[in-house]
Each structure stands twice: as structure tokens, then as C-alpha cells.
Amino acid sequence: MLIEKLCKEQNLTDDEFRTLLETDRYDDALREAADAVRREHYGTDVYLRGLIEFTNFCKNDCLYCGIRRSNKCASRYRLTEEDIMACCKEGYGLGYRTFVLQGGEDPYFTDERVCQIVREIRTRYPDCAITLSIGEKSRESYQAFFDAGANRYLLRHETADPTLYSRLHPAELSLENRIRCLYDLKDIGYQVGAGMMVGCPGQTTDHLIRDLRFLQELKPDMIGIGPFIPHKDTPFKDEQRGDLYLVLRLLGILRLMFPWVLLPATTALGTIHPQGRELGLKMGANVIMPNLSPVSVRKKYMLYDDKICTGEESAQCVDCLERRVTSVGYQIVSGRGDVKR
Ligand code: 5AD
Ligand code: FES
């Protein structure tokens, strides 16, 4: 009943969402329904996003994150513009048509430097989408990046509950500003990705329902969710990881709430279970974001412990992913993979 209603109305009451999130009774039905909806909108296509982690310097101090500024054990690096271009070149050859530039909030990368890099990629690869994931900036900065040729922006809201938000972040960060950023990005014309960390310390079902309500308002093009995973050099080192099945259930629910949305099977999901990403694909996910960063820096971009794919060459990941994706009945397609809404 609940699943049928969610399919038909793309919505449930808070109590119904709670029931769905808190039991495993509906998991099979949810998977079948989510898979049917993803096939209706995206067939069996899986889109790739080449992730270039270009700096792990960060001025922020989020309590969960391995590259927070207080982590003195992190060995810091920055890629040069040439390094970044080499990643794009390799990625383009491997079939990638979306490049995601992700980094900590690194003051070295001024607006001018970011714009310069974006312009360079835009000139060399006019057929590719450029995604930025570099945190909270002013509206003017976002506009400048957009004018330089960026098309998409990933900024997870992490949690839509202000109290929980303040428990996960240092005092200088606020949910209010995060939300301001997301609406500015949308308004400027970016395809926007938001999302939350599932199972972070202090999170309850009610917090997750609040996340779903927030996403209903924002209507982002992409929703990135993954389990919280503790990092050994952060204040949350002794906390529990997020639960695999809760993440999967949320993926299924999100697919049914937002039939057209781009939904990645995240690296964090692949980290907590050897077939985590495949299970995600079967629950409605349709995007994978393999790492294009140089192998020499991959182990330094450790947001959480035991992150997978940090020892592999990009080409090895492509082969591995090809096998994983076909093993569950889907296929990787080349192309920008824009949202179909
Ligand atoms: N566990 C899981 N995800 C994390 N992220 C950061 N730290 C962790 C962690 N310890 C996620 C955040 C961020 C994205 C880039 O990585 O949601 O937005
Ligand atoms: Fe990277 Fe499998 S996807 S090793």
C-alpha cells in the first residue's frame, strides 16, 4: 500500500515515511518499484562523472570530515592547472563527458583561478559538462564560475535540521547560508545537487524526514547520499557508520519521490559493502562518480576511513565498473548525462 501510494503521489505523510524508513518489510517491493521507475525514465543507462579531487586544503572544520583544517595528520596537496588538464585528457579518452572538480574550501583557489581552470576546460572540451563542488561561496562567485562555463554544482546540505547541522559543523557555518547557496546556484541556472549524510551522529528518522521535505522544496537535479563513515583523525572517530540498508531504502524512496532525478551510487556506499554500489543501482541509482585524480594523491583525499578505489588507475576503475554495472543488468553510457525532467 505505502509503496503504491508513493509511486502514485510521489509523496507520503511523515508517519508513512517513518514506517517505510524504520522497517525492512517493504525493501523488496521498494526495490522493484524504484527500478521500474528508473527504467521508465532512464532505461538501463548509467552515467559516469569523472571526479577530480584537486585540493585537500580546507579552511573549514566540519566534525565528520577527514580533511578538516584541524586534522594535522592530513598530508595536504594541490593539483596544478596542468595536472587537472591531464586528468581531463585521460578522462575524455576513457569516455567521460562530465568532469567534477571537487575540493576543500581552499583560499589558494581564488575566483580568478577557478574561472581560469573552468575556462580552459570549457575551451578544450566544449561537449563536456563541468561540475564544481567547492563549497559555500558568494552569489557573485557562483555567477563568475557559471559565466566561465561551469554548468553544474554539487553542494550537499548534509542535514536540513538546524540543530543537527550545528552539531556537525563549526560555529561559523550555518544551515541558513548553505541553503542560501543552493537557491543562488539554482537561480543562476546551474543544475544543482544536494544531499545528506545518512546515519551521522545524532541523526534520527525525523531528521531524515526533514531532509526529504527540504528536497521537495529545493527540487535539485541531483541528490547525493551516502552513509556516514567515521574518520580516525576526527572527533567522530568512535561513532557508528551509517547503515547500508537505511541508505538503500532512502535511495529507493528518493527515486519514487523524484522519478527524473540523477542519483549516484556513491563511493561511500561502495566502501561499507563490497557490492554497495551495485545494490544502489538496483534501488534506483543511475550515476557513478569514479575517481580521475592522479593515483599519487588519491589516498590524501580521505574524507572517511577505508575509502575504495584509492589505489587504482582510472582505467582500472572503468573496467571494474563496467563489469559491476553489467553484472546487475545496467550499462554505462558515454555522454553528458543531463537530467531528464
Ligand atoms: N563520511 C561520509 N561522507 C562524508 N563526507 C564528508 N565526510 C564524510 C564522512 N566521514 C561527504 C559529505 C560531503 C561529501 C563531499 O562527502 O557529505 O558533502
Ligand atoms: Fe575502482 Fe572497482 S571501481 S576498483
Side-chain angles (χ1 to χ4, degrees):
M1 267 314 279
L2 281 184
I3 308 286
E4 285 81 358
K5 183 177 173 195
L6 183 53
C7 277
K8 210 157 81 216
E9 301 178 15
Q10 281 114 53
N11 201 5
L12 293 175
T13 65
D14 285 4
D15 282 339
E16 289 168 333
F17 275 131
R18 191 171 300 112
T19 305
L20 211 50
L21 286 167
E22 289 184 348
T23 67
D24 57 11
R25 195 177 342 140
Y26 303 96
D27 287 0
D28 290 333
L30 186 58
R31 190 178 55 252
E32 279 162 34
D35 188 54
V37 168
R38 79 91 87 207
R39 281 173 196 261
E40 198 181 302
H41 290 262
Y42 289 98
T44 53
D45 293 358
V46 172
Y47 302 132
L48 295 185
R49 317 295 194 207
L51 190 60
I52 303 169
E53 298 156 335
F54 70 98
T55 173
N56 73 348
F57 283 86
C58 193
K59 67 179 168 71
N60 284 337
D61 215 18
C62 307
L63 277 77
Y64 45 83
C65 184
I67 63 169
R68 67 201 299 266
R69 67 161 186 263
S70 307
N71 181 8
K72 300 290 180 264
C73 304
S75 140
R76 307 284 170 173
Y77 73 91
R78 288 183 184 108
L79 299 186
T80 64
E81 188 179 324
E82 295 82 83
D83 294 334
I84 296 172
M85 290 306 147
C87 294
C88 293
K89 187 172 181 196
E90 183 176 13
Y92 195 88
L94 291 166
Y96 292 91
R97 294 297 178 269
T98 295
F99 300 120
V100 182
L101 292 178
Q102 186 175 89
E105 291 194 19
D106 179 356
Y108 170 85
F109 285 100
T110 56
D111 289 2
E112 210 163 317
R113 288 193 168 113
V114 172
C115 286
Q116 161 63 24
I117 293 165
V118 170
R119 268 194 302 270
E120 191 62 33
I121 302 177
R122 176 53 60 236
T123 308
R124 292 200 204 180
Y125 304 101
D127 56 332
C128 290
I130 303 173
T131 305
L132 293 177
S133 180
I134 52 176
E136 296 183 11
K137 308 274 175 182
S138 68
R139 183 179 177 120
E140 292 67 38
S141 303
Y142 288 147
Q143 184 69 56
F145 307 152
F146 189 80
D147 295 341
N151 319 90
R152 304 180 185 150
Y153 206 101
L154 305 181
L155 182 68
R156 291 192 182 173
H157 66 282
E158 314 296 358
T159 172
D161 183 88
T163 310
L164 182 59
Y165 194 93
S166 66
R167 270 193 257 159
L168 302 177
H169 297 96
E172 64 270 21
L173 291 182
S174 71
L175 178 60
E176 196 188 347
N177 192 52
R178 181 68 57 126
I179 292 175
R180 189 273 303 160
C181 289
L182 285 164
Y183 280 100
D184 277 349
L185 289 162
K186 240 188 122 172
D187 207 42
I188 290 168
Y190 284 94
Q191 292 178 36
V192 170
M196 58 278 189
M197 243 178 333
V198 180
C200 54
Q203 189 183 57
T204 63
T205 307
D206 283 349
H207 291 131
L208 290 170
I209 295 169
R210 195 151 181 180
D211 288 320
L212 299 179
R213 298 295 175 216
F214 171 70
L215 291 168
Q216 282 178 321
E217 273 172 43
L218 180 69
K219 297 183 188 62
D221 303 282
M222 298 164 265
I223 303 176
I225 66 163
F228 161 75
I229 304 171
H231 184 290
K232 61 179 179 12
D233 303 313
T234 64
F236 289 162
K237 62 179 188 309
D238 296 322
E239 301 288 341
Q240 292 267 325
R241 319 178 132 182
D243 178 66
L244 170 71
Y245 295 98
L246 181 56
V247 177
L248 293 174
R249 234 170 267 147
L250 276 160
L251 284 173
I253 290 170
L254 290 168
R255 173 56 68 207
L256 296 181
M257 291 175 72
F258 308 97
W260 37 261
V261 85
L262 294 162
L263 203 56
T266 54
T267 304
L269 188 57
T271 297
I272 60 164
H273 187 283
Q275 268 84 48
R277 287 169 299 177
E278 291 90 319
L279 292 167
L281 293 174
K282 288 167 74 173
M283 264 290 193
N286 63 337
V287 171
I288 297 186
M289 302 175 63
N291 202 325
L292 275 183
S293 312
V295 176
S296 58
V297 304
R298 285 190 190 184
K299 286 200 186 348
K300 299 181 181 175
Y301 202 83
M302 277 291 172
L303 306 184
Y304 45 80
D305 288 338
D306 305 322
K307 187 175 163 205
I308 54 168
C309 296
T310 58
E312 319 298 321
E313 299 288 343
S314 306
Q316 291 175 313
C317 277
V318 168
D319 281 345
C320 170
L321 283 173
E322 190 83 50
R323 266 181 279 121
R324 288 173 183 270
V325 169
T326 52
S327 78
V328 279
Y330 307 101
Q331 50 167 1
I332 290 175
V333 295
S334 187
R336 289 173 40 126
D338 285 297
V339 70
K340 294 185 181 175
R341 68 199 283 181

